[in-house]
Amino acid sequence: MPLRGVKQGCPLSPLLFSLFINDVDEEFETGFMGAVTGTEGLGVTHMLYADDLTLTAYDPVQLQKMLRQLEWYAAREGLTVNVQKSYIVNFNAYRNSAFPIFRLYNQKLEERDYFTYLGMLIDKHMNLHHAATHALRQNFNAALRRVKEFGIEKRISDRPHAMLWLFKTYALSAGMYASQICSMQVLEHNNVFSNPLQVTHMAFLKRILRVNLLLQTGECSEIAHRNSCNFTGSGQLSNFGTGLLFK
């Protein structure tokens, strides 16, 4: 019978682990510059969520020192860092530029062109289009498929108000996850709705409202407003539909 620890899958496990490594921040507070930011004098040395730790540095020498510091911290706390799940991404590097070797526990860390942090793909060129496409394929399309299947199963595909609420319940959160980051590039002038998440979002709403897929966003919103009484008997759908289109 085990005398310590928790069962696999126990909901207490992530909480206890977070409390246990809460002091890991102190290891990188002094002596490390971290990655530069847009604010002068402000650097970011690491990002930590539960057991997902990312070290960031502008100087390769500094990063290797941070890896050694992490080794010492883990040894002191009785932990072991999984080298097989650890890798290096060199941001904004030229194709043929020399890339230093980084080691953890004297083992060479794998070099990659991207990594996934909290479900968001971040590639070495910080291409937000790739991040949005990843979110579309991994989460949003699956959620939309569930909405379609539910509509067919319950025979409500011909009821726009019901399908819109299903969309809000099952799909909207998946489509909006990390949208503040993924959609930054579409804030540029004349670049509206170039994000694949937005394009898919709009196309699905147009199908629910049974309007021409070639209609512009404003026209689709006007149709939703004009026909809201036919759908719900009130103006609630108009407000809801317009909120989905422009949120």
Side-chain angles (χ1 to χ4, degrees):
M1 182 176 179
L3 300 178
R4 62 179 182 176
V6 295
K7 293 182 179 180
Q8 185 173 359
C10 176
L12 273 177
S13 179
L15 174 60
L16 292 175
F17 185 79
S18 295
L19 292 174
F20 187 74
I21 66 166
N22 187 55
D23 61 340
V24 71
D25 295 342
E26 300 173 3
E27 301 298 318
F28 309 109
E29 284 183 350
T30 58
F32 301 105
M33 181 175 63
V36 296
T37 66
T39 302
E40 186 176 354
L42 177 63
V44 177
T45 57
H46 67 287
M47 298 179 289
L48 175 66
Y49 185 86
D51 61 346
D52 198 341
L53 174 64
T54 300
L55 302 179
T56 57
Y58 183 76
D59 181 8
V61 176
Q62 286 266 311
L63 182 57
Q64 184 59 66
K65 289 182 178 179
M66 293 168 71
L67 289 170
R68 285 200 294 269
Q69 188 71 23
L70 180 62
E71 287 183 32
W72 295 333
Y73 171 82
R76 187 175 72 241
E77 300 294 334
L79 301 172
T80 302
V81 182
N82 192 332
V83 179
Q84 281 66 44
K85 293 185 178 180
S86 304
Y87 41 85
I88 297 291
V89 178
N90 189 14
F91 291 100
N92 298 320
Y94 295 106
R95 179 175 298 180
N96 297 321
S97 58
F99 191 74
I101 295 176
F102 295 94
R103 296 185 182 277
L104 185 63
Y105 297 122
N106 206 31
Q107 298 181 52
K108 179 182 176 181
L109 293 179
E110 176 188 357
E111 177 188 354
R112 290 190 180 182
D113 292 335
Y114 66 89
F115 74 103
T116 303
Y117 187 73
L118 301 183
M120 180 176 176
L121 184 143
I122 305 174
D123 74 354
K124 66 179 183 180
H125 299 300
M126 300 295 290
N127 190 320
L128 296 180
H129 182 83
H130 291 167
T133 301
H134 174 79
L136 174 65
R137 293 174 177 173
Q138 294 293 317
N139 302 315
F140 198 34
N141 279 340
L144 293 180
R145 186 163 53 251
R146 176 58 183 146
V147 171
K148 294 176 185 177
E149 292 172 351
F150 195 94
I152 294 173
E153 178 185 345
K154 302 300 180 181
R155 300 180 180 179
I156 57 174
S157 298
D158 59 342
R159 302 178 186 178
H161 64 287
M163 294 299 292
L164 281 172
W165 280 108
L166 283 174
F167 174 83
K168 179 182 179 182
T169 302
Y170 287 103
L172 185 59
S173 58
M176 295 295 292
Y177 181 75
S179 60
Q180 297 92 333
I181 301 174
C182 294
S183 299
M184 287 179 64
Q185 62 183 14
V186 305
L187 298 179
E188 301 174 3
H189 183 62
N190 293 329
N191 200 27
V192 179
F193 279 87
S194 63
N195 186 301
L197 281 169
Q198 292 176 309
V199 173
T200 304
H201 185 158
M202 175 58 65
F204 190 78
L205 290 179
K206 287 179 178 179
R207 291 190 183 95
I208 290 178
L209 297 173
R210 299 181 180 180
V211 297
N212 192 325
L213 293 179
L214 298 179
L215 284 179
Q216 297 298 316
T217 302
E219 294 174 317
C220 183
S221 175
E222 183 180 350
I223 290 175
H225 177 77
R226 189 167 58 244
N227 292 285
S228 60
C229 292
N230 296 332
F231 295 149
T232 63
S234 69
Q236 294 179 354
L237 176 63
S238 171
N239 298 330
F240 174 67
T242 304
L244 290 180
L245 294 176
F246 296 104
K247 193 171 253 186

